[in-house]
Amino acid sequence: MQTNVDQTDSDARLRGPFEAVEETDPAAVLDALTDPLCRRVLACARDPVTASEVAEDADLSMSSTYRKLHTLSDAGLLETQKELRDDGYHTTRYRAALEEATIRLGEDNDIHVSLDRTNDE
């Protein structure tokens, strides 16, 4: 895993790259997108945010926030980035990875989901 120092921050923290799940389960994507709280969390993460920022912006408890972040990350709808804090601990930043979702029913009656992901680095 490659890490780099972000010189745009005044305190220049060590950050890893944003990472996302490559393969997505159509049912997991549909479950996440039909959950109003997941959509609220996804809207908060248009720019990189921490879990505590999401909890405050979405008016959710921390436990609910972490459940929704986990659901969205597993579905491939959020990217994650590890960040080393000044105190030596790390934190995770989350960023929406979804530009557009296309859902179709195949001839085999299976659900097919295509995700167009954001490409911001």
Side-chain angles (χ1 to χ4, degrees):
M1 174 187 291
Q2 175 188 358
T3 58
N4 60 354
V5 177
D6 183 358
Q7 298 297 332
T8 59
D9 286 356
S10 59
D11 57 350
R13 295 184 175 126
L14 190 65
R15 293 190 176 138
F18 273 100
E19 298 176 354
V21 173
E22 292 300 320
E23 293 293 320
T24 58
D25 174 23
V29 172
L30 287 175
D31 286 346
L33 291 176
T34 58
D35 181 335
L37 295 180
C38 279
R39 290 195 310 270
R40 189 184 316 170
V41 168
L42 196 58
C44 292
R46 294 186 193 278
D47 293 316
V49 291
T50 63
S52 58
E53 291 169 332
V54 171
E56 184 177 327
D57 291 346
D59 194 28
L60 294 172
S61 69
M62 286 304 295
S63 61
S64 292
T65 298
Y66 278 114
R67 277 195 304 276
K68 299 309 176 184
L69 289 169
H70 182 73
T71 297
L72 290 163
S73 295
D74 284 352
L77 302 174
L78 280 182
E79 298 173 322
T80 59
Q81 177 189 52
K82 297 290 183 199
E83 177 180 285
L84 184 63
R85 298 186 326 207
D86 292 335
D87 60 7
Y89 292 96
H90 77 277
T91 190
T92 302
R93 291 198 174 271
Y94 301 88
R95 178 176 70 180
L98 178 66
E99 188 71 32
E100 182 176 302
T102 304
I103 302 162
R104 68 178 179 82
L105 186 61
E107 290 181 19
D108 53 2
N109 287 327
D110 284 342
I111 294 173
H112 301 275
V113 176
S114 300
L115 302 177
D116 290 337
R117 298 177 191 274
T118 57
N119 289 353
D120 298 337
E121 288 296 324

